[in-house]
Amino acid sequence: SESIASLPGGRAKAVILHNKLPENLTGALSAPTLSFVKVDLSDMDKHLTVVEWRWIVMFDLVRKHPEWDTVFMGDSSDVVVHHNPCALVQQHPGKLFVGSESKKNFGSCLMTRYFQRLGGKYLAWFQANRSNVPHSKMLNAGIFGGRRADVLRIAGPLEDVLLDPDLAIKKQAELTWFDMAATNYVLRAKFPFSDVITGYPLHSIYGSVESRKDVYLSHK
């Protein structure tokens, strides 16, 4: 939020979703460039972790704000904004802007484990396509955005996966997050990959803790 507040022009605003920050804190920190939305987790699907439920909440918030032109969703603790990404979005209309991990391949053993949490048709799709996807790196939706209409294009398909009662993980006693597989599946199986922009100059190399400002966003 501090990195957004420091952007020149004041045209970008941050909205922080939370479930238990004290009102005196959110009131003191609220500003024209920063607001807080309290989320009621009492109606959260018991088969989802908060990592998955945040997508449901974020999409619901975006639907409630038709005046928003461009929307980016990001991890609040490890994403830094260096330049207003709206400028990049304007250069590439109709695209979705997504983070990726250049050190991890889509067909890796790690992604295999992620898709095993989904199971069924999703795991079958992954096994059939793991070696022939157009972009070999694993997408990381810790950075995700675009024009509001384009962001909402993915909302329904992703919600369908997250809320699918037949997911393998939902039949296990212990829940764990699975949104990495869900977002990679939807962005690759439900949309042409030409709709996706990732890597430089959108974001830094994930996991490298780069102190660079020639990118719009730094992610860890």
Side-chain angles (χ1 to χ4, degrees):
S1 60
E2 292 180 358
S3 61
I4 292 177
S6 65
L7 292 177
R11 297 180 61 190
K13 298 181 179 180
V15 179
I16 295 179
L17 303 176
H18 71 96
N19 70 313
K20 57 182 179 181
L21 291 177
E23 291 186 6
N24 61 334
L25 177 63
T26 58
L29 295 178
S30 294
T33 57
L34 175 64
S35 60
F36 296 82
V37 174
K38 189 170 184 178
V39 177
D40 183 4
L41 297 182
S42 62
D43 60 348
M44 185 175 78
D45 187 327
K46 65 180 181 180
H47 294 108
L48 300 179
T49 72
V50 292
V51 175
E52 285 75 45
W53 191 247
R54 65 175 177 165
W55 288 100
I56 307 296
V57 174
M58 289 189 296
F59 287 140
D60 182 60
L61 185 63
V62 173
R63 290 184 177 108
K64 290 178 179 177
H65 287 274
E67 76 278 10
W68 290 353
D69 178 85
T70 302
V71 180
F72 272 81
M73 306 171 184
D75 295 336
S76 61
S77 62
D78 58 12
V79 173
V80 177
V81 183
H82 299 296
H83 308 283
N84 191 333
C86 293
L88 185 63
V89 173
Q90 290 176 353
Q91 297 171 24
H92 304 277
K95 303 298 184 181
L96 292 165
F97 299 79
V98 188
S100 59
E101 302 188 25
S102 59
K103 298 179 181 180
K104 297 176 183 177
N105 288 326
F106 176 73
S108 66
C109 293
L110 177 63
M111 187 58 83
T112 300
R113 292 198 297 271
Y114 289 160
F115 269 88
Q116 286 171 341
R117 297 173 185 177
L118 301 184
K121 62 183 181 182
Y122 310 105
L123 179 58
W125 175 88
F126 171 76
Q127 291 171 333
N129 293 277
R130 61 184 299 179
S131 300
N132 60 355
V133 291
H135 179 79
S136 64
K137 303 306 178 183
M138 183 169 70
L139 298 176
N140 184 320
I143 295 173
F144 176 80
R147 296 292 296 270
R148 177 179 177 274
D150 295 313
V151 167
L152 290 179
R153 278 196 295 140
I154 195 179
L158 182 53
E159 288 167 333
D160 287 344
V161 178
L162 298 176
L163 299 175
D164 187 343
D166 295 323
L167 294 181
I169 193 67
K170 295 185 178 181
K171 299 175 183 178
Q172 299 177 12
E174 184 176 348
L175 283 181
T176 187
W177 55 271
F178 59 87
D179 82 316
M180 190 75 79
T183 51
N184 271 267
Y185 170 78
V186 171
L187 288 166
R188 295 179 184 277
K190 299 299 181 180
F191 296 90
F193 202 78
S194 57
D195 283 0
V196 175
I197 287 181
T198 188
Y200 180 85
L202 175 62
H203 62 82
S204 60
I205 298 175
Y206 178 85
S208 296
V209 196
E210 297 180 300
S211 58
R212 55 190 291 188
K213 294 187 177 180
D214 61 332
V215 291
Y216 286 86
L217 306 163
S218 288
H219 194 186
K220 288 186 179 178

